[in-house]
Amino acid sequence: MYEIMSSDEAIRLIRDGDCICVNSFVGIENPVELHEALFRRYERMQSPRHLTIISSAGFGVWDEEHNAEGYIREGAVDRLICGHFGAMLSTKKLVLEDRFEAYNLPLGCISHAIRAQAGGLPGALSKVGLDIFVDPRQEGPGINRISIDDSLVKHVEVDGEEFLYYKLPKITVALIKGTAADRKGNISFDDMFMSGDALSICQAVKANHGKVIVQVDRLVDTPSRPRNAIIPGCLVDAIVVAEPEQRNEAYTALTGSFEIPYEEWNVWSERIDTVSTKPAKNSAVGNIIGRRAAMELRVDDIVNIGIGIPEMVSRHARKNGMLDMVTLTVESGGIGGFPVSGEAFGAMIGAASVYDMANQFDLYDNGGLDICFMGALEVDGQGNVNAHRGQGAFAGIGGFANITSRTPTVVFCMTFNTKGLEVSQKKGVVTIQKEGTIPKFVNKVNSISFSAKRAIANGQKVLYVTERCVFRLTPKGLKLIEAYPGVDVEKDILSQLPFEVEL
């Protein structure tokens, strides 16, 4: 039977050596009060310690002084297993300093491994990850020098087919953020952007005889409708009521509490950009790439659009009339709306449905998307892509590997080079005013996020759309299929590549 507790009381349920699973998505829907109560206790008692923390999509609030950053920095955590570290500003730096073990697994593979554990299985099989960095025949999932646990990902054969087998430590504590708890302890997510892996996490914890701690905004007398109670009260040990932060009306729109028709998506997107501390960028380079990439959309496509330059695809899809003819999706479980960028990434404007994250990755892993638009840090002559690890910086693979592994058409949206690149376009003519100092086409990528060999074997169509040209992946490597008006093929493209391409 659940108990209503203060955050400080609830955190006492956590013991040294526990494995905590956090239900959040990059920077949204974090149980902030629970994290900060844990930090308070650790500062006071140096306990709990030797913790392992698992999160499919990472947990942070884009502020290194809040959420879990403090107790991770002070040494309470021995091991992190996450799909993405982007919103964890100090933690992702400490990872590269070997302060604790840290492992990066594809977001969807963590989600599915959690669901497997909920069903009493030790792990989950997946084709996702074969021939990229997480494959133990390549680098494995360890991010730094002390991360040498080889039990998390194994290469296996089943019925003559190769897979990766993802296995997580047994989860003993769940930290969840919900909207409301009714008098039976049932937890609803009505005012949330998503529910993520919440139910699977709780089921896994109870299967392991652990503790489920849920932070909610309020208690309600009237029980939720059964379909709205994502977590049944019988799975909950502690409920903590924490006053919710005031949300701007623009962010309230993302909860799905009122209908946002297609005609208003643009208006709400602009409102969110206005109140975000990370407003959307609008550049000539981004517009060139977004406009060309959007030409690959077809009526009735099911689509995923990545963050960064790929976000420009949706803007130009709106302009060319394609946006309301396709179905957009986002990794957190939203489908049929307009994904938000910046700090609220994972939320959707006008979503038709928001379901469990593991179900979304079922769709992605089985080739259910028609096309995806992704960013890239580096591309080599074979067509391999590094999208998760820069020089001296690390964010993580997130859902990138799942999304690109089976999608029939993969479009990488990227600049030809970076740091100082200046480009203009007038009347369709592109002018390279200044080249960037850091090339993005390299002899060998620093780490493989996308395997060209695997894509060729899968029969995928792969394009690399830049601000000056388009390449297509072939069995021989990259082929230049298009140079934009105003671009000198020899001077602006071929002479700047460290490898030869087909023409």
Side-chain angles (χ1 to χ4, degrees):
M1 181 67 179
Y2 75 92
E3 290 184 50
I4 297 174
M5 303 181 181
S6 70
S7 58
D8 292 320
E9 289 170 333
I11 291 303
R12 292 177 196 157
L13 298 175
I14 302 175
R15 301 285 181 256
D16 289 359
D18 268 337
C19 178
I20 300 172
C21 194
V22 180
N23 187 58
S24 57
F25 190 91
V26 188
I28 63 173
E29 311 305 20
N30 282 278
V32 175
E33 177 55 33
L34 299 182
H35 283 300
E36 300 201 346
L38 199 160
F39 184 32
R40 290 194 296 269
R41 182 181 171 200
Y42 186 78
E43 280 190 307
R44 188 171 63 253
M45 303 181 64
Q46 292 297 291
S47 178
R49 57 191 308 186
H50 302 306
L51 299 173
T52 293
I53 303 185
I54 296 171
S55 177
S56 299
F59 51 104
V61 292
W62 306 100
D63 183 344
E64 60 187 31
E65 299 305 323
H66 290 288
N67 212 49
E69 303 274 19
Y71 66 81
I72 292 174
R73 186 165 53 238
E74 294 301 318
V77 176
D78 287 355
R79 179 169 53 168
L80 281 177
I81 302 170
C82 294
H84 201 268
F85 293 76
M88 305 156 70
L89 299 185
S90 71
T91 297
K92 66 182 181 181
K93 297 174 186 174
L94 299 177
V95 164
L96 300 180
E97 297 174 6
D98 299 338
R99 291 277 295 274
F100 40 78
E101 292 182 56
Y103 300 89
N104 184 214
L105 279 61
L107 195 165
C109 298
I110 299 177
S111 183
H112 286 160
I114 292 170
R115 187 174 64 184
Q117 199 172 123
L121 301 174
L125 291 174
S126 182
K127 292 275 188 182
V128 174
L130 289 167
D131 295 327
I132 69 170
F133 77 98
V134 74
D135 191 325
R137 299 169 301 173
Q138 298 284 332
E139 302 171 49
I143 300 172
N144 56 29
R145 290 175 294 181
I146 64 173
S147 302
I148 57 175
D149 185 347
D150 61 2
S151 69
L152 300 176
V153 187
K154 294 182 179 179
H155 179 265
V156 299
E157 254 191 42
V158 179
D159 292 338
E161 286 193 71
E162 61 176 338
F163 297 87
L164 293 184
Y165 179 60
Y166 293 91
K167 181 180 178 181
L168 299 173
K170 283 192 173 184
I171 303 166
T172 54
V173 174
L175 296 185
I176 309 287
K177 172 70 173 67
T179 295
D182 68 22
R183 61 176 179 266
K184 294 181 181 179
N186 302 311
I187 309 298
S188 66
F189 286 70
D190 296 346
D191 296 340
M192 308 284 288
F193 300 151
M194 57 105 207
S195 59
D197 292 317
L199 179 57
S200 291
I201 292 170
C202 294
Q203 290 174 325
V205 167
K206 300 316 287 185
N208 297 330
H209 309 291
K211 301 295 184 181
V212 171
I213 306 171
V214 183
Q215 174 186 323
V216 297
D217 297 340
R218 59 185 179 270
L219 302 176
V220 295
D221 291 328
T222 305
S224 295
R225 291 182 179 180
R227 193 65 185 93
N228 294 346
I230 302 296
I231 305 173
C234 61
L235 299 181
V236 179
D237 293 286
I239 294 173
V240 174
V241 182
E243 187 73 22
E245 289 185 17
Q246 286 294 111
R247 274 181 172 159
N248 180 283
E249 182 191 28
Y251 287 115
T252 303
L254 306 179
T255 65
S257 56
F258 55 90
E259 183 183 3
I260 302 177
Y262 168 75
E263 294 76 16
E264 296 180 18
W265 286 3
N266 189 43
V267 174
W268 285 101
S269 181
E270 289 177 356
R271 289 185 186 181
I272 291 165
D273 284 347
T274 300
V275 299
S276 174
T277 57
K278 291 188 174 182
K281 294 180 180 179
N282 191 6
S283 67
V285 166
N287 281 316
I288 294 168
I289 296 171
R291 185 180 300 110
R292 172 60 186 86
M295 293 169 61
E296 297 299 318
L297 288 168
R298 300 293 178 264
V299 174
D300 292 334
D301 274 351
I302 303 175
V303 187
N304 181 281
I305 298 177
I307 57 176
I309 291 178
E311 292 170 355
M312 299 298 290
V313 173
S314 57
R315 295 189 186 188
H316 288 279
R318 184 188 293 114
K319 290 180 180 179
N320 67 22
M322 283 297 296
L323 192 60
D324 65 340
M325 300 181 190
V326 301
T327 299
L328 301 184
T329 71
V330 69
E331 294 92 307
S332 59
I335 190 164
F338 185 76
V340 176
S341 60
E343 294 181 359
F345 175 65
M348 261 191 153
I349 298 169
S353 174
V354 180
Y355 47 52
D356 285 356
M357 192 152 62
N359 295 121
Q360 190 76 300
F361 282 96
D362 289 338
L363 178 76
Y364 294 165
D365 290 1
N366 72 21
L369 291 172
D370 295 296
I371 189 170
C372 64
F373 300 87
M374 298 283 110
L377 295 173
E378 298 175 317
V379 175
D380 65 24
Q382 287 73 50
N384 297 313
V385 175
N386 170 21
H388 73 280
R389 186 159 196 161
Q391 293 292 335
F394 186 86
I397 191 71
F400 178 99
N402 301 86
I403 293 165
T404 59
S405 67
R406 291 283 301 280
T407 299
T409 300
V410 179
V411 182
F412 292 108
C413 303
M414 56 183 290
T415 56
F416 201 87
N417 49 51
T418 188
K419 197 173 182 181
L421 175 67
E422 294 179 11
V423 177
S424 64
Q425 185 181 42
K426 294 181 179 179
K427 296 182 179 180
V429 176
V430 173
T431 303
I432 313 298
Q433 298 168 318
K434 182 182 178 183
E435 295 288 3
T437 58
I438 300 177
K440 296 194 110 181
F441 290 92
V442 296
N443 277 316
K444 183 179 180 182
V445 294
N446 185 44
S447 188
I448 298 177
S449 312
F450 172 83
S451 167
K453 179 180 76 173
R454 183 67 51 176
I456 291 294
N458 289 341
Q460 293 169 279
K461 175 185 176 181
V462 183
L463 299 179
Y464 308 80
V465 176
T466 77
E467 79 289 344
R468 65 189 72 184
C469 63
V470 180
F471 298 101
R472 180 166 182 168
L473 179 65
T474 75
K476 296 180 181 179
L478 297 188
K479 180 177 182 178
L480 180 64
I481 63 169
E482 185 178 338
Y484 305 155
V487 173
D488 185 315
V489 171
E490 179 60 41
K491 172 177 171 288
D492 297 329
I493 301 172
L494 300 181
S495 68
Q496 302 206 46
L497 293 173
F499 48 78
E500 293 186 356
V501 295
E502 289 186 72
L503 299 174

